[in-house]
Amino acid sequence: MSKKLYSALVWGIAVAIAGNAHAAEEKAAPEKAEASASESGQSKSKHWAYQPVKSPAAPSVKNKDWVRTPIDAFVLAPLEAKELTPSPEVDRAAFIRRATLDAWGVIPTPDEVQAFVNDDSKDAYEKLADRLLASPKYGERQARRWLDLARYADSSGFTNDENRNNMYRYRDYVVKAFNEDKPYSQFIQEQLAGDEIKPGDPEALIATGFIRSYPDDSNSRNLVQKKFQNTTDVTDTVGEVFLAQTVGCARCHNHKFDKISMKEYYQLQSFFANVNAVDNVPVPHKGQAELEWEKANAKWEEAVKDIKAKQQALIDPVKDKARKYNYERFSLDTQAALNKPEAEWTTADRWINHRYNSNESEEAAALAFYQDNSAKGAYSYDPSYADKVEQFKAINKELKKWEKLKPVKGSTFISAVSELGNPNPPPTHVHFAGEYDKLLEEVQPGFPAAISDEKPVIQPSAVSSGRRAALAKWIASPTNPLTARVFVNRVWGQYFGKGIVETVSDFGKAGTKPTNPELLDYLADNFVKQNWSAKKLHREILLSSVYRQSSEPREDVAKADPDNKLLAVFPRQRLEAEQIRDSLLVAAAKLEDSLGGPAVYPEVPTGLNAGDKWPVDKAPKDTNRRSLYVFTKRSVPYPMLDTFDMASAQQVHSKRDVTTTPLQSLALFNSDTVFSWSQALAGRVINEAGNDESDQLERLYQILFARSPTDEEKDTLESFLNEQEGVIKKKVAEGKFTASVPVGVKEAEKLDPVRSSAFVDLVHAVANSNEFVYRF
């Protein structure tokens, strides 16, 4: 028997075994039969999430005075059925702190608190909600939540983790979209198919950064496999983010819980078959950031011009040989595509060659050749290059001396996706067991039949397949049963700690059922009727009675509804990592409010040893910006944010974890940066409250907690001051301590350095308290 025939026989047996295994599994688990329906003849599922969104009328309730918005009626009806009453309203100061943290991601100022507390007008709450939603801070807060889902990062990940200095434009697009209240349906379509729907529109092209955000390994040596991996990432992400479907479970076998087959998974994947990453699209209009980058880059280019000319002279004679050497480092099927003339490229070859050319540089190609030449005995070793290798190393060493001049952030290009001006996509096949190189039947684009019986309407253009536009329009359709439900549920979870469906990215059978399905449908239906307006959705929640409730624990609620699913008590929440850092900056009056632009590198602990992967910015205008703008390096998460459970950029991050560890307290308490903010906060308190210590304690609490300290708290704080003053005096006398006084005090010469140093320690302790990192 020939090897070829033997291989074919083994392959056929493997496929048959896999089919029998699936059949046996379904027979053994009849409850999963619907989930693993045969690939032909799929029908619409009866699962609740796939049913059309209803337009429920607000239920009748006894306590009609409590109902400020229809939301309240939907919440109150189940409470009354359980013979529970809502909690009383929280006081205004606590409310504005809560609402500002939720809508903006930072604490309010004492002046903002006081203005709201003293506003006797009938529409005080409406004016507050409108002010919060009109601020650019709203867009920054909502963008952070969205970027969690988009697995956004400023670097590529994997071993090399190269910087993606263009990606900030996508982040800024998201901020702008929320601030402008771009209809969510439009927001979806631009991110999935902006280049197809709005060709020539730079903003729509930038929006496709949603797809481009996938982690990637530029050093991959099997580009056929890499293409499959990247397309898989995009498919799985779109399923989770927009539809709350774990479609990725059907990549290797029919979904075990939901009615999604392998064939349907690859039909969904085929919408993205022609996608190519493009990172070199010139920006159409250069702003300040681009001009600054150009100026810095020109300075570097001028400084290294002669050095690079020497380098090029060494590279030119060998670059063809070096490229051939590089080709040989790839898998055989990748090499086959790379070695073909362009006239013979298949649609799959086009992607491979584009990918290789996007990552190759002449210097890198030549360097690879020289490095190999250093190994005597290697098949490509050429003794005539020995001297040139040494010259090349010397030139590289000389180049590194000028490295500090080279701009490390910013660019004049856009990162996006396109179809490279070719409307013909490569074929998509079902992959046996999800293996990239084990192809079964070819499939065409299609939607999961369990969700929809619609067929995609694909209209290719001269430069694109039109597939993503068709998918985007289906997802953004008012008749799609999932899209609006998924989004409003995410927003609800942002305000109340849990979604109405707690598994916010899984509306399938393995996910949780909605605790209040009528409320979910009301929100989804109204969201679409309000032109997919996120701001109107946020406004209704902010103005509801359920959002105004106190968070004080209640025994009757704990007994009747231990998980508080019915929301008789407002749920307390630990602040997210960015809220903690940004609110500390607000308290210290150090937050830089500038909007958008390249990411920044704040200070990091000296023990991080990040080397050139984290080039710290020096200017406060950079280091004190919102956490949204901190460089997201996949291999080096910013330590302060990482300690408090920031989102992982490796995949869709649906919900922030909340851990409580000693490291969190230690990270804040021992951080030189946080201590410097405490010194600035102490200085601010003294400037605003004057020299009376009682007034200073009052002002400190107003800044951090939007309330006054109790008499008991004041006594405790004063005792701490006195005790700490004694400790510092003793250490200063022994020469063991340098007093750390408040910073920025207008009449600093009048300060007692020991007493004021004790006050800094008090401020530092209060800012690190549990109350500060929670919102109630």
Side-chain angles (χ1 to χ4, degrees):
M1 185 185 295
S2 70
K3 285 186 178 179
K4 193 171 184 180
L5 182 59
Y6 177 75
S7 297
L9 181 60
V10 170
W11 173 246
I13 293 170
V15 172
I17 291 172
N20 291 337
H22 275 303
E25 185 174 341
E26 296 308 332
K27 189 174 181 181
E31 70 276 9
K32 297 178 184 175
E34 183 185 353
S36 298
S38 66
E39 293 176 6
S40 60
Q42 287 272 53
S43 59
K44 201 166 181 345
S45 169
K46 294 180 181 179
H47 182 57
W48 70 267
Y50 305 153
Q51 306 312 307
V53 174
K54 297 174 184 175
S55 182
S60 178
V61 293
K62 297 173 186 174
N63 186 5
K64 291 181 172 55
D65 292 340
W66 194 73
V67 177
R68 288 190 170 91
T69 75
I71 287 173
D72 298 322
F74 286 103
V75 171
L76 185 57
L79 286 175
E80 289 184 340
K82 282 265 191 181
E83 298 184 345
L84 290 172
T85 58
S87 292
E89 280 190 24
V90 71
D91 68 77
R92 281 198 175 193
F95 179 84
I96 187 175
R97 187 178 190 270
R98 172 192 298 175
T100 308
L101 279 164
D102 281 345
W104 285 2
V106 292
I107 55 173
T109 66
D111 289 346
E112 289 167 341
V113 174
Q114 203 58 40
F116 177 62
V117 169
N118 294 336
D119 188 348
D120 295 329
S121 60
K122 291 182 179 178
D123 60 347
Y125 282 85
E126 285 79 1
K127 287 189 293 186
L128 171 63
D130 291 339
R131 180 175 66 81
L132 293 175
L133 297 174
S135 168
K137 291 186 179 72
Y138 160 81
E140 291 175 314
R141 167 65 176 154
Q142 304 316 314
R144 180 61 270 172
R145 302 294 296 233
W146 186 260
L147 296 176
D148 286 7
L149 300 172
R151 72 266 191 263
Y152 171 85
D154 296 298
S155 70
S156 62
F158 289 93
T159 307
N160 293 333
D161 200 19
E162 297 100 336
N163 287 356
R164 289 177 173 173
N165 287 330
N166 306 337
M167 282 306 298
Y168 77 88
R169 302 183 204 285
Y170 171 68
R171 176 247 289 151
D172 290 352
Y173 160 82
V174 177
V175 173
K176 186 169 180 275
F178 278 107
N179 276 329
E180 292 178 349
D181 201 21
K182 181 171 287 190
Y184 182 60
S185 54
Q186 183 182 342
F187 186 57
I188 293 170
Q189 293 181 66
E190 288 177 355
Q191 290 180 95
L192 295 182
D195 57 311
E196 290 190 325
I197 293 168
K198 296 182 177 180
D201 183 337
E203 184 172 277
L205 185 63
I206 290 168
T208 64
F210 175 86
I211 296 176
R212 178 67 187 98
S213 288
Y214 54 77
D216 201 4
D217 184 4
S218 65
N219 202 38
S220 174
R221 294 298 156 194
N222 187 334
L223 298 188
V224 177
Q225 182 185 44
K226 177 47 62 178
K227 166 68 171 170
F228 179 65
Q229 289 171 338
N230 290 352
T231 312
T232 294
D233 174 281
V234 174
T235 307
D236 296 355
T237 296
V238 169
E240 281 189 69
V241 172
F242 299 109
L243 304 172
Q245 296 296 293
T246 55
V247 295
C249 295
R251 178 168 65 90
C252 305
H253 49 70
N254 291 341
H255 203 297
K256 298 302 178 189
F257 299 100
D258 300 324
K259 201 175 178 183
I260 301 172
S261 67
M262 278 184 77
K263 179 178 180 180
E264 288 176 316
Y265 174 80
Y266 289 101
Q267 287 178 316
L268 193 60
Q269 194 182 88
S270 69
F271 284 104
F272 303 102
N274 209 28
V275 164
N276 294 267
V278 287
D279 298 308
N280 60 348
V281 181
V283 293
H285 307 292
K286 294 174 185 174
Q288 184 181 350
E290 287 79 21
L291 294 174
E292 286 178 1
W293 183 87
E294 275 190 332
K295 184 179 178 181
N297 194 59
K299 189 176 178 180
W300 175 75
E301 290 280 7
E302 180 62 28
V304 300
K305 180 173 62 176
D306 294 339
I307 304 171
K308 290 184 82 174
K310 292 178 190 176
Q311 185 186 61
Q312 196 65 42
L314 284 173
I315 290 171
D316 284 341
V318 295
K319 63 182 180 184
D320 289 340
K321 191 172 182 181
R323 177 177 261 234
K324 183 176 182 297
Y325 161 75
N326 268 348
Y327 281 1
E328 290 167 354
R329 298 167 70 199
F330 286 89
S331 63
L332 293 176
D333 45 3
T334 302
Q335 286 185 50
L338 292 173
N339 284 311
K340 280 184 189 178
E342 186 172 348
E344 297 177 17
W345 285 356
T346 66
T347 49
D349 295 335
R350 184 176 66 241
W351 185 92
I352 290 171
N353 280 274
H354 167 73
R355 163 68 183 231
Y356 178 87
N357 292 328
S358 297
N359 285 323
E360 187 206 39
S361 67
E362 288 187 342
E363 294 92 335
L367 182 60
F369 178 74
Y370 288 141
Q371 285 174 335
D372 183 75
N373 194 71
S374 67
K376 290 186 178 181
Y379 69 92
S380 60
Y381 177 73
D382 186 336
S384 69
Y385 288 129
D387 182 53
K388 290 184 178 181
V389 169
E390 294 308 313
Q391 290 180 50
F392 195 80
K393 287 178 180 177
I395 289 171
N396 274 345
K397 193 173 181 180
E398 196 175 348
L399 265 178
K400 285 184 178 178
K401 293 177 184 177
W402 299 94
E403 200 70 22
K404 289 183 179 179
L405 276 183
K406 191 174 183 179
V408 296
K409 56 186 180 180
S411 75
T412 55
F413 298 102
I414 292 169
S415 280
V417 300
S418 83
E419 302 199 357
L420 302 182
N422 196 312
N424 302 312
T428 300
H429 295 263
V430 176
H431 290 246
F432 172 73
E435 294 288 339
Y436 81 95
D437 57 349
K438 293 182 172 61
L439 307 183
L440 302 177
E441 64 177 301
E442 184 178 347
V443 295
Q444 298 300 319
F447 310 131
I451 301 172
S452 172
D453 55 11
E454 291 182 49
K455 304 298 178 189
V457 179
I458 298 171
Q459 298 174 317
S461 70
V463 296
S464 202
S465 68
R467 288 184 173 189
R468 284 175 292 119
L471 176 66
K473 287 174 183 175
W474 173 70
I475 291 176
S477 168
T479 60
N480 190 302
L482 290 164
T483 310
R485 281 181 176 132
V486 170
F487 183 76
V488 300
N489 186 63
R490 292 191 193 281
V491 173
W492 186 266
Q494 176 181 332
Y495 282 98
F496 295 100
K498 293 179 183 177
I500 299 168
V501 179
E502 190 171 349
T503 50
V504 291
S505 288
D506 187 0
F507 275 35
K509 285 191 172 182
T512 57
K513 291 183 178 179
T515 54
N516 195 326
E518 293 79 14
L519 172 60
L520 181 63
D521 270 18
Y522 162 75
L523 291 170
D525 178 65
N526 198 45
F527 180 51
V528 174
K529 287 176 178 174
Q530 299 271 22
N531 193 30
W532 302 82
S533 167
K535 281 194 176 182
K536 288 178 181 177
L537 171 63
H538 283 269
R539 189 177 192 273
E540 185 171 4
I541 292 173
L542 284 165
L543 294 178
S544 65
S545 289
V546 64
Y547 187 70
R548 289 194 199 181
Q549 291 181 105
S550 166
S551 64
E552 286 297 317
R554 287 170 47 188
E555 286 187 19
D556 59 331
V557 173
K559 191 176 293 185
D561 181 22
D563 294 326
N564 196 30
K565 290 181 179 179
L566 302 180
L567 294 176
V569 174
F570 188 79
R572 302 178 176 194
Q573 286 190 57
R574 214 278 306 281
L575 301 186
E576 292 166 13
E578 294 87 349
Q579 290 174 306
I580 293 170
R581 178 180 176 273
D582 296 351
S583 293
L584 283 169
L585 281 165
V586 167
K590 283 186 167 292
L591 184 68
E592 292 286 337
D593 265 341
S594 54
L595 204 66
V600 297
Y601 294 90
E603 284 184 305
V604 291
T606 53
L608 184 65
N609 297 322
D612 61 357
K613 291 186 180 294
W614 198 271
V616 175
D617 286 315
K618 302 299 181 186
K621 70 180 180 65
D622 295 324
T623 58
N624 292 338
R625 297 194 68 195
R626 284 192 72 147
S627 301
L628 174 70
Y629 302 113
V630 171
F631 199 95
T632 304
K633 187 82 171 171
R634 281 189 162 108
S635 61
V636 188
Y638 182 54
M640 185 183 298
L641 300 179
D642 194 38
T643 302
F644 284 94
D645 311 310
M646 68 180 283
S648 166
Q650 303 298 345
Q651 57 190 6
V652 174
H653 198 110
S654 302
K655 186 178 178 181
R656 292 294 181 93
D657 297 322
V658 180
T659 62
T660 304
T661 70
L663 287 178
Q664 292 165 346
S665 294
L666 292 170
L668 293 181
F669 201 75
N670 294 325
S671 166
D672 291 338
T673 301
V674 174
F675 187 75
S676 73
W677 295 342
S678 298
Q679 287 180 284
L681 174 54
R684 174 189 175 185
V685 168
I686 292 169
N687 287 336
E688 294 179 4
N691 295 324
D692 184 278
E693 286 186 350
S694 179
D695 292 344
Q696 291 172 3
L697 299 178
E698 177 81 20
R699 190 62 175 176
L700 177 62
Y701 267 56
Q702 290 291 352
I703 291 169
L704 295 177
F705 309 133
R707 69 174 180 87
S708 299
T710 64
D711 290 340
E712 184 180 357
E713 285 171 329
K714 273 194 172 183
D715 290 342
T716 302
L717 295 171
E718 286 168 1
S719 296
F720 175 87
L721 261 179
N722 294 331
E723 186 178 333
Q724 192 67 3
E725 181 183 22
V727 170
I728 294 171
K729 270 184 181 176
K730 185 177 179 183
K731 287 187 175 182
V732 170
E734 294 171 352
K736 297 178 180 177
F737 187 81
T738 302
S740 299
V741 296
V743 172
V745 178
K746 293 174 183 175
E747 298 180 334
E749 68 279 358
K750 295 182 180 180
L751 290 178
D752 175 343
V754 174
R755 185 71 175 180
S756 62
S757 182
F759 184 64
V760 169
D761 289 342
L762 179 143
V763 168
H764 190 49
V766 174
N768 279 276
S769 66
N770 198 53
E771 183 174 351
F772 181 73
V773 298
Y774 272 82
R775 74 106 169 94
F776 301 91

